[in-house]
Amino acid sequence: MTLDNGRKLLAIPGPSVVPDRVLNAMHQPSPNIYYGPLKEMIEGMIPDLKQLAGTTGDVVFYITNGHGTWEAALSNTVAAGEKVLVLGTGPFALGWGAVAQTLGIEIEVIDFGKQSSVDIAQVETRLLADKNNDIKAILVVQTDTSTSVRNDISALGQAIRATGHPALYMVDCMASLGTEPHFMDEWLVDVMVSGCQKGLMVPAGMGFVFLNNRAHAARREMDRVSYYWDWAPRVAPEMLYQRFAGTPPTHHLMGLREALDMILIEEGLENVWTRHRVFAQAIWAAVDSWGSAGRMWLNIKEPDKRSFAVTSITTSHFDGGKIRDWCENVAGVTLGIGLGMADAKSPEFENYFRIGHMGHMNVPMILGTLGTIDAALKALDIPHGAGALEAANHVIATASR
Amino acid sequence: MTLDNGRKLLAIPGPSVVPDRVLNAMHQPSPNIYYGPLKEMIEGMIPDLKQLAGTTGDVVFYITNGHGTWEAALSNTVAAGEKVLVLGTGPFALGWGAVAQTLGIEIEVIDFGKQSSVDIAQVETRLLADKNNDIKAILVVQTDTSTSVRNDISALGQAIRATGHPALYMVDCMASLGTEPHFMDEWLVDVMVSGCQKGLMVPAGMGFVFLNNRAHAARREMDRVSYYWDWAPRVAPEMLYQRFAGTPPTHHLMGLREALDMILIEEGLENVWTRHRVFAQAIWAAVDSWGSAGRMWLNIKEPDKRSFAVTSITTSHFDGGKIRDWCENVAGVTLGIGLGMADAKSPEFENYFRIGHMGHMNVPMILGTLGTIDAALKALDIPHGAGALEAANHVIATASR
Amino acid sequence: MTLDNGRKLLAIPGPSVVPDRVLNAMHQPSPNIYYGPLKEMIEGMIPDLKQLAGTTGDVVFYITNGHGTWEAALSNTVAAGEKVLVLGTGPFALGWGAVAQTLGIEIEVIDFGKQSSVDIAQVETRLLADKNNDIKAILVVQTDTSTSVRNDISALGQAIRATGHPALYMVDCMASLGTEPHFMDEWLVDVMVSGCQKGLMVPAGMGFVFLNNRAHAARREMDRVSYYWDWAPRVAPEMLYQRFAGTPPTHHLMGLREALDMILIEEGLENVWTRHRVFAQAIWAAVDSWGSAGRMWLNIKEPDKRSFAVTSITTSHFDGGKIRDWCENVAGVTLGIGLGMADAKSPEFENYFRIGHMGHMNVPMILGTLGTIDAALKALDIPHGAGALEAANHVIATASR
Amino acid sequence: MTLDNGRKLLAIPGPSVVPDRVLNAMHQPSPNIYYGPLKEMIEGMIPDLKQLAGTTGDVVFYITNGHGTWEAALSNTVAAGEKVLVLGTGPFALGWGAVAQTLGIEIEVIDFGKQSSVDIAQVETRLLADKNNDIKAILVVQTDTSTSVRNDISALGQAIRATGHPALYMVDCMASLGTEPHFMDEWLVDVMVSGCQKGLMVPAGMGFVFLNNRAHAARREMDRVSYYWDWAPRVAPEMLYQRFAGTPPTHHLMGLREALDMILIEEGLENVWTRHRVFAQAIWAAVDSWGSAGRMWLNIKEPDKRSFAVTSITTSHFDGGKIRDWCENVAGVTLGIGLGMADAKSPEFENYFRIGHMGHMNVPMILGTLGTIDAALKALDIPHGAGALEAANHVIATASR
């Protein structure tokens, strides 16, 4: 039988749960796109987005998804025939590299595998060896949404600049913006890309590129940049449509305004980060506890290298797929598939699942997700350690004091 | 700190969680109220409501809340100066009696307290003693939303009729309709009242009275019935406005149509009842487990007398209030107060809380609620038995097989 | 063919068009009904509603429609066997009288027909003749939604009180509250009833009774008042549920809050009234112009006796029904039927139609309605005077300067 | 004073009015993006979109606006250094050419001005002279949203192919898809681009490229195509994310499904086109009538070259700007600015305005718009011919018979 006649709980690592308030903010007639309230609203969001990113640089809106922002960032800064250094810690940085190749950019990959963060020393070594400064940019993710590893963007930034190498430092914060600390300027990031559908709690369909003066300088070196991706007119538009290279994404913008109010004004960015950290730690505690029976592991072993936004879990016996099916079909919780952890058509693929815990999440949503996984383990007779839910609750109880 | 930036989970015993689909169905322009789709939609809902109640009798809509349906039922059937027998198993049947008094009706109460269901033998004895048939109606609740007791409406109906006494058998199903079995005709109920905001998952503001031919006969005996409550023109209207004694509650009706589809067509009434039973049993298992430390009890001791829609819990040390506060303010779960269990201004009032588990509920919502209570117990250092959440999950896992 | 794939325009005299903002404000999860934001919101609306009515007295919310507020007002003030004086200027005051009869109240009707307002002199004469003060209350409408007549509530109030007769002065403002000036205290009104679904722009399902100390005194004289209608506990509740005699109409209240903001804070009540007056005058100009061909008339001849909220129109040749059908089925405008102007089953009924122009209305909605009627006249080859739309526009243009 | 407290009527040439149903369809929780209902829904929309375009070819979704689809179409078919022929009939085809230049494509423009459609003979001549087939593609709009001219895409297609020249025939149907007939295959169009925010009635943020086998062949000739714009994996995806080069625009897709149902199933595409034609003709009649006083003209003189979706109007005395201001600020109708008709910073710019009449439009919306413009003319004392509204109504009345 199904026990699901309630609100489906989406616990995939993006798109995340959209708050009712954001949906309501989007439930509006189409506005005038030439002047009036929409224009003012957009201009008012720019400082808010910059605050979110920790930058005094610029922010550009694109009607696109995350992959599109990768293309945008590269299109403005690296020409065909030039080279970028890709720091692989899962499929997402590698994917960015693949996009670069379709632009005619040469890529050089250092692959740290699916369970490790970037080894900064290797990067330093490589940069110091690049005497001709052939490497125009370094591509890395803060959080890999697939492996759930988190890289130390601050330390990497310090190390890169310490080498004296001029390469642009470009960071993907798709899953980390609005879920864990990011200080673009302080961390010496030149270009940062993100989307609206994870920490920002807006339906998919809008992306952002943040950039500093070094990035502007790289843009000026380009022979040409395609109209849609060119950030130059978007940064300093004379008319509203130039900010979007055409018609603006009216309803996404209305939703984003509401989400930014929730994050920056009502909850406060520090508290948002802390909340994500506590929930992540609660989830890790539960998984460790279940895993004591030897059938389930956190993909990232070192706690300080784990994302606060998504947790990637490995099982044996193809339990991952069974757990996901039970949660989705019987109970009403949608967990993430192990995207990028194995070939999606191989049986091994069913050994992975992910819990998305980003954005609009509170205690009952986290505990409802964990409780449902626990019920699945019992319903499916999958051996698991006892006390997982109480272990999670000890984390939450302690944090709440 | 607060850990609540997700969707608030309302776990009070009504109003219950309104499904997004029902809210969407209500997000409509005002319709024509004289003819056209609204009129057809309303007529189409009548057989559905009757199916829900298990009756071939009539159903009447009132724009009112639950208390209003009490007044409606009495206004059509019992005249000032006549007498009704009130079977108290908590504040709600007693409240119905209090309404009767404001209509000039004499009441006689048999009070079974706050932890027991109706003792059928006592009712038989009283009816058999009423040689002159002074008792015109018997008022009882199927589920008392305060105490969470459930009366055996079928057995009581058989017993009443077996005495040969002609009193109308009037049952309040405010919390039970759409959450646990009710077969009005088979159980020999003459008048049944309910509302839209619990098992029917629609925002508060509409009530229903179901009635059979014995009730119609009682109506015909009345000298007069006030315009608003009179069910005669509402049952057989010539124009739509007569069904509502004026303007219909357009948006509630649109919401109700969607909710009835969810219950009757998509999930199926049998499954709805089973789902509620499983969730109730899971909650009982958790409370029993927590309670092994001696600080918390289910109000109703006998499982077969407990509601499937709401669970009333007693604590010592005023823990109830503390738990409610933590869940609401820190975590995002709203639990019910112990309405009617003690004087709301007395310190003892803080020893009670209730979990509403009716309507639009699935596994993560139930387990999110229980998990949050468990976290509260830990955060507040309230002694409690271990394993409560896993006990609940064993119930759910077993049921799902 | 149909030319309707746009937003249906509802131009019936209630329910009126619900603003998108009000629908959005109602698109919310169910709230906690015991304490917190809902409770505070409700308390904050009471001074706003009183400002709307022009009173320092009290206001009571009922989950009901307009007919229910008639019953509420009478149930608190006039006992069975007592008498009220009904001043008929269309079906609505007469309907209030019919409700009184179902409460056992004796009614005496002075009927001024369907095209005239109250003749104050006749009322004075009758009151002066009532030496024993048998008349307990006088029932009258400010605007009759059927005939579209408007009574001079101020002058009538002065006249009643000048006779020295103590009868309560009870006024129905169903269509006039929030559409044209009403100053309850200054006009010496004792009890005023209205609903949420016309000038207040909220879906049908909630009504209001406003009352002063004379009305309170009448309540105290009553032997008993039924629980649901009794306004005494509702005026001074100890707990929130007492204000509603049970569960509050959560979503209607959220919608009303938004509507009151629109009226009182954003547009301003004076401007709301002026806007309604201008639109009414524009409509009258168009109808007069069409009517120069002898097939159509405004029901109320004297402009100063016409409502600003609704306009009732008479046709010959059963044109009214044909116009309504064309507007509804071909064009997308729903006009009001001639409710109460003739037997709904008689052919004559098709000679009437009404334009509702209350609430959420702006220039394109008014001119879209008039333009569509003009198109209907042409499509149906109904003789009509030329220049009607331009006549309406002269009114609007002049007012806008 | 303002007379606007109703629903703002947006009569700009896109974004158009979004139906309430479409907004409701978008008011949904985020769905699972890997499998399940969303995936099935998307696959089901593809035949519907192809039916809309009149093609058996392929359709590709892009998260982008109209300008982005221009870039998409070119990126897949024309390499840097190659040449396209731009047929200018207003700023939009010229804009497409400007996008081509940013891709390194050489453009050759034949500019037919702002009041004429394409002169097919000139195109034939040019193609016949292109002996080396240097021209890789021909760029033209069906409707220029600025000038409101409509080109004869069928005749132009026949003529192009009759020359034997192999250039791809690429047509922008931004404003014409879903508003006037388009038969891509029959008209020999190779690549057609459009967006969701005009005839398709969905908020801005999604675009479409339709393509046939000749276009596929051109793609295969390209050395490389950037990841985001490459249509090859999007046409035949193995996993859902490939169709969107990443996360799909979940909510736009849900809205589009509803809009397609309205167009294809409920109203029928033929009727949609006829409705747009009738409304356009009604608007032309009104403008001609107003213009008899010599202060206002339709931009396109020949009726058979006028768009059915948008009407561009020229005034003298800077009346255009005054009319727009009055309609927007006093009345509640937003008209389009004369985008592209003059320098936006010059005084002459205020001589232009546009009426958007595409998508979710019915009789009261069209007549409300025209009525409001008529009121503006009167309020502003702008000389204008009489009878404009009745002239429009004669068109509508005649069409409705």
Side-chain angles (χ1 to χ4, degrees), chain B residues 10 16 18 24 27 30 63-65 67 71 80 102-103 203-204 226-229 238 244-245 247-248 251-252 345, chain C residues 10 16 18 24 27 30 63-65 67 71 102-103 203-204 224 226-229 238 244-245 247-248 251-252 345:
Chain B
L10 190 73
S16 65
V18 182
N24 263 348
H27 199 129
S30 285
I63 307 175
T64 192
N65 54 22
H67 287 62
E71 185 159 325
T102 71
L103 296 168
S226 82
Y227 184 86
Y228 195 72
W229 299 128
E238 289 188 23
F244 302 94
T247 305
H251 288 63
H252 273 82
K345 292 180 174 162
Chain C
L10 190 73
S16 65
V18 182
N24 262 348
H27 199 129
S30 285
I63 307 176
T64 192
N65 54 22
H67 287 63
E71 187 160 323
T102 71
L103 296 168
R224 60 176 166 77
S226 83
Y227 184 87
Y228 195 73
W229 299 128
E238 288 188 22
F244 301 94
T247 305
H251 288 63
H252 273 83
K345 292 178 174 164

Side-chain angles (χ1 to χ4, degrees), chain B residues 81-92:
Chain B
E82 294 185 327
K83 179 196 275 190
V84 296
L85 181 65
V86 177
L87 306 180
T89 57
F92 283 91

Side-chain angles (χ1 to χ4, degrees), chain A residues 362-364, chain B residues 2-5 325-333 372:
Chain A
N362 59 10
V363 174
Chain B
T2 175
L3 293 167
D4 175 25
N5 179 31
D325 284 351
W326 193 92
C327 290
E328 170 110 24
N329 299 325
V330 179
V333 173
T372 302

Side-chain angles (χ1 to χ4, degrees), chain A residues 132-152:
Chain A
N132 296 332
N133 294 338
D134 288 336
I135 294 168
K136 295 298 168 190
I138 299 159
L139 311 186
V140 69
V141 301
Q142 180 168 16
T143 292
D144 187 283
T145 308
S146 170
T147 63
S148 70
V149 76
R150 179 158 51 87
N151 288 304
D152 185 337

Side-chain angles (χ1 to χ4, degrees), chain A residues 27 64 71 102 226-228, chain D residues 27 63-64 71 102 226-228:
Chain A
H27 199 130
T64 192
E71 185 159 325
T102 71
S226 83
Y227 185 87
Y228 195 72
Chain D
H27 199 131
I63 307 175
T64 192
E71 185 160 325
T102 71
S226 82
Y227 184 86
Y228 195 72

